Structures are given as C-alpha cells and as structure tokens.
Amino acid sequence: MLKNLQAVRGMNDILPGDSALWQYLESTVAHLLAGYGYQQIRLPIVEPTELFKRSIGEVTDIVEKEMYTFADRNGDSLTLRPEGTAGCVRAMLEHGLLGGGVSHKVWYTGPMFRHERPQKGRYRQFHQIGVEAFNLTGPDIDAELIVLSWRLWQRLGLAEAVTLELNSLGTSEDRARYREELVAYLRARFDQLDEDSQRRLETNPLRVLDSKNPDTQALLVDAPKLADYLSDDARTHFEGLRALLDAAGVPYVINPRLVRGLDYYGLTVFEWVTDRLGAQGTVCAGGRYDGLVQQLGGKPAPAVGFAMGMERLLLLIETLDKVPAELARQVDVYLVTLGEGTQQAALRLAEQLRDALPDLRLVVHCGGGSFKSQFKKADKSGALYALILGEAEAAAGQVGLKPLREDGEQLNLAWSEVPQHLANLL
Ligand code: ATP
Ligand code: MG
C-alpha cells in the first residue's frame, strides 16, 4: 500500500492560496522587462550534463555536489538545470542568434534544482527569473540591468530593504596575474585552510575567496586584493559603470571580496542583498560573462546578466508586509441558485455577464444545497456581491443583487441591467 507519499525534501508545492502572490511577482517582472525591450525565452529544464560542467565550472559547489544528474534510457548523462544562464547561452548559440554582433536582450523564468541543505530561503527546487543581454560590451548595459532591477525593487516596495554590492573581477589576464599572488599567499598558510579550500588551491584558487568557512574568511582579510590587479581596461569599465549608476541615482557599496559561485564571470559582478531574511540574504545576483559563449563553442560574444531568487523575493515581500491588498480577494461575485430550471438559467446569465465584463471574477455555485449553505460559501469565497437566482427571478428574467460585505438591500434587476450595475460597483 502507498503510505505517506510526500514531495521530495526541499521541493515545495505552491498551493492555491499562495499562487496569486507568485503571479503578481511574475507579472510585475514581465511587465517591467517588456518596458525595457526584453523578450522572454523559454528553455528546457533538462540539459546535457556536459553543458553545466563546461560553463559553471567543474570545481564549483554546484557542479561538484549540488546537481541532479542521471542517465536517461539511452545512457546519456542529463542534469536538471541548476541555473538558467548556461541553457540560455546554449539556445542562443544553437539557433545562431549570436552571430554578426547582433544584440539580444532576453529573460526567462522557471524552476532550478540544486541538492543543497534545505532551510528558509534555500530549497532544492527553487525558482529564478533571469535576465541576459548579449553582444553588448560597454558598462551601459551593465548599468541598465542594475537600473531595471532597482526599478523592480521600487515597484515591489522592497527598495528600502535591499543594498547593491558591486565588484570587478577584472579580465581573465588580470585574474591570472592575481591568481599567482593569491596562491603564493594561501600556500604559505596551507595548514590553516579548510579542506575544500586546500583542494581548490590546486584546481581553482579564486574559489577559495567564496569559502563560507569563517577561519578561511579570516585568513583572507590580509590576502592580496583582486582590486589591486585590475588592468586599465577593467578599471575603465568599472569606473564607467559607477559613473552611470551615480547618474541614475542608484546607491551601491563596493565589496572587494565579492566573487560569484560560478566560474564564468569577469569584470562586473553584483549582488542585491537584504538583512531581513537571515543567512539567505542575496535576492539577486549576476555579472558579466564575456568568455562563456566562446567556452561553449561559439565565436566570442560578450554577455551580461543576473538571476533573482523568487522564493527569497516573496519572503521579503511578506516580511516587509508588501503583499498588495487586492490579492486577498480573488472573487468579485458569487451566483447562487435555487429551484427548478435555475441552473440552466444561471449558466446563461453567467456567460452573458462574462461576455459583457471579461475581467469579472464570477463564481457560479456548483453542487446544489440550500440558500443558507450557498450563502455560507459565497461569504467564504470573499466575493463582494451575491447574485441570487430563484425560480421566480429566472421566470421573470430578473436576478437579485446583494452586497455581502456591508449592509444593503437586495436589488432586483433585469439581466440586461446587471453588467452596468456591477461595472459601477466594482
Ligand atoms: P547563495 O550564495 O545564496 O547560495 P548563489 O550564489 O548560489 O546563492 P546564484 O547561483 O547566483 O546563487 O543564483 C541567483 C539567485 O538565486 C540567488 O541570489 C538566490 O536568490 C537564488 N538561489 C540560489 N540558490 C537557491 C536555493 N537553493 N534556494 C532558493 N533560492 C536560491
Ligand atoms: Mg549557492
């Protein structure tokens, strides 16, 4: 017997009572991005494992220990996408959209999968909205991405709770020079490093900067700083970005230790962080990844993008009490019926109303029952008005209209009068 079947740990159901808030976030973002000329791209959830190894990096937490990887029935190794950028670049390349230097601005949304320890703000299936811009090299596009996210926080009422952290990772040559110095510094302190960092010192030393181990972090305080190794080009790009953000009035702090958990970033990196959610404080993160397209087999094409974590944004919206009041009510009118032939009449009336008022949220009572029990359901639905159709009303082409949330007489109206009345009331 099947007993206690449950969702996979760290993978959440989004129940009917919560979905309106998700839709609100999605539609706010979609609307905002349309206003900046970004188009949606819809991508598969499963990709060849190789794609993530080659893009995110073999010695990152994600690839080393967080991916849901499996062999399909042909024996091909597939992976549930842990993030969206790699698949997005794969698709742009595969369909030849990056050739000729043509610029593209796209966004996507959907579930991502990482085998992490589930906790508040950290799940194994979570949702991102990602935004990417291709074939644009200057800091102007980096600034646009940041400015549009800033506008999003304002629209969502989150602006006072988030801070922008900014850093430059330099060019790949800058990082190569810096890497040598960092390795020399860390090698001299090898015994004090945590195990992961010891290993990464050989494979991918910049990843040590991203260590969550407090002892390692303490050791890094006096380590060489990447900022001191930036070339003129990298510096110019970073200063250009800062000047644009200053001009746009977007506040930021420079965080010289900010590196990202994925290997493909260079030059600009940024995170929007909040102190209202405890340890899982990054709600949005991104940066420039000019080398990735080539790394995945394309001709070089510069790119920059970011991804926001929807669960964390929703937690923040709730924590700050910014859930729009209108989401609380999902029904405008509840139609109750009683008596012979009234169900057919109700169906006709309801469809007439939907013709006249396409935005009307009208629930037609199903399942019969007494007036009393139907009114209970009408009340529970949150509807502001009940329409009441008994045998007498149906025969006379009339219907009763009664307010449910305030005192008020029942009005008897001809069916043809109802749309105008409701339009005035709602
Ligand atoms: P963190 O440092 O919190 O692990 P990350 O650097 O791994 O984040 P990214 O890969 O840059 O995160 O993903 C972008 C955003 O997606 C994060 O800033 C966060 O808001 C969200 N996110 C990442 N992992 C998770 C997760 N396991 N559960 C919920 N949201 C997540
Ligand atoms: Mg992570």
Side-chain angles (χ1 to χ4, degrees):
M1 188 171 84
L2 293 177
K3 235 171 97 184
N4 292 334
L5 266 184
Q6 289 184 334
V8 176
R9 188 165 125 81
M11 304 201 180
N12 300 312
D13 301 306
I14 297 164
L15 298 175
D18 296 323
S19 56
L21 186 56
W22 281 79
Q23 288 171 347
Y24 158 72
L25 177 58
E26 283 160 358
S27 62
T28 303
V29 175
H31 188 245
L32 180 128
L33 287 167
Y36 283 81
Y38 288 71
Q39 290 181 304
Q40 193 181 23
I41 182 167
R42 298 187 180 217
L43 302 160
I45 287 172
V46 177
E47 295 275 3
T49 304
E50 191 59 23
L51 173 66
F52 302 114
K53 288 192 175 170
R54 265 168 56 188
S55 53
I56 297 168
E58 299 249 16
V59 271
T60 54
D61 279 351
I62 294 179
V63 171
E64 275 184 339
K65 45 191 180 196
E66 295 175 0
M67 294 206 304
Y68 283 88
T69 296
F70 58 96
D72 82 351
R73 287 173 190 277
N74 304 326
D76 297 327
S77 180
L78 304 181
T79 293
L80 298 184
R81 64 181 182 194
E83 56 100 56
T85 302
C88 184
V89 170
R90 198 258 321 126
M92 297 298 285
L93 261 178
E94 186 171 333
H95 299 283
L97 299 176
L98 297 178
V102 182
S103 67
H104 288 277
K105 298 177 175 185
V106 300
W107 68 278
Y108 53 80
T109 183
M112 307 292 161
F113 302 85
R114 298 184 193 177
H115 195 274
E116 304 194 70
R117 191 170 70 77
Q119 53 201 289
K120 184 186 171 198
R122 192 177 293 285
Y123 312 100
R124 289 179 174 174
Q125 175 174 328
F126 62 100
H127 297 76
Q128 286 183 339
I129 297 173
V131 185
E132 321 278 359
F134 295 98
N135 277 328
L136 294 164
T137 48
D140 50 353
I141 184 66
D142 306 22
E144 175 173 285
L145 290 173
I146 290 172
V147 166
L148 74 80
S149 50
W150 175 236
R151 178 171 296 279
L152 178 63
W153 314 143
Q154 280 159 335
R155 286 214 182 148
L156 296 172
L158 309 179
E160 91 260 18
V162 293
T163 307
L164 173 62
E165 297 194 356
L166 206 58
N167 194 20
S168 174
L169 297 181
T171 64
S172 51
E173 296 80 43
D174 301 346
R175 287 193 298 284
R177 282 192 298 130
Y178 170 66
R179 190 177 300 131
E180 283 181 29
E181 300 297 320
L182 181 68
V183 168
Y185 174 92
L186 292 175
R187 200 159 271 152
R189 294 156 183 82
F190 189 81
D191 294 340
Q192 292 160 263
L193 291 173
D194 62 272
E195 217 175 286
D196 268 349
S197 297
Q198 286 182 345
R199 197 164 39 83
R200 286 187 176 153
L201 191 55
E202 304 308 324
T203 51
N204 192 349
L206 258 63
R207 299 245 45 80
V208 177
L209 298 178
D210 199 34
S211 166
K212 303 271 184 323
N213 183 297
D215 296 334
T216 300
Q217 277 301 329
L219 208 63
L220 287 167
V221 171
D222 293 321
K225 302 267 175 304
L226 181 53
D228 298 328
Y229 292 79
L230 295 190
S231 55
D232 286 347
D233 282 356
R235 233 177 266 281
T236 305
H237 189 99
F238 199 41
E239 275 159 22
L241 172 59
R242 292 180 62 174
L244 286 162
L245 294 179
D246 292 338
V250 182
Y252 57 84
V253 295
I254 305 289
N255 176 357
R257 305 254 293 284
L258 179 65
V259 291
R260 309 272 12 273
L262 305 88
D263 276 352
Y264 49 61
Y265 288 108
L267 295 176
T268 310
V269 286
F270 64 90
E271 290 194 357
W272 287 98
V273 298
T274 179
D275 57 9
R276 315 289 172 92
L277 296 180
Q280 272 54 252
T282 304
V283 293
C284 173
R288 193 160 265 287
Y289 52 95
D290 290 344
L292 181 59
V293 173
Q294 191 175 24
Q295 210 172 299
L296 291 180
K299 293 219 178 68
V304 55
F306 68 78
M308 33 196 165
M310 292 186 72
E311 283 81 359
R312 291 186 197 176
L313 284 173
L314 293 169
L315 277 170
L316 192 56
I317 289 171
E318 284 173 331
T319 305
L320 299 178
D321 224 357
K322 300 291 184 183
V323 179
E326 59 268 25
L327 295 189
R329 191 171 57 76
Q330 298 292 317
V331 177
D332 300 316
V333 176
Y334 196 102
L335 173 53
V336 305
T337 61
L338 198 72
E340 193 76 19
T342 55
Q343 279 180 350
Q344 291 90 324
L347 196 54
R348 278 190 291 121
L349 171 59
E351 294 309 308
Q352 277 180 29
L353 292 176
R354 296 185 208 282
D355 284 340
L357 302 171
D359 290 332
L360 179 69
R361 296 174 300 177
L362 168 67
V363 171
V364 179
H365 179 81
C366 290
S370 67
F371 257 141
K372 195 168 167 224
S373 76
Q374 292 190 42
F375 264 102
K376 257 195 194 153
K377 293 210 167 105
D379 188 50
K380 227 179 139 202
S381 76
L384 297 181
Y385 295 92
L387 283 170
I388 302 145
L389 199 59
E391 274 176 45
E393 285 92 348
Q398 293 214 318
V399 64
L401 176 67
K402 192 172 164 41
L404 292 170
R405 307 296 148 192
E406 54 194 44
D407 288 338
E409 288 299 301
Q410 178 175 325
L411 276 178
N412 284 315
L413 301 169
W415 285 16
S416 59
E417 298 173 311
V418 178
Q420 193 54 55
H421 264 270
L422 287 178
N424 292 340
L425 288 169
L426 294 168

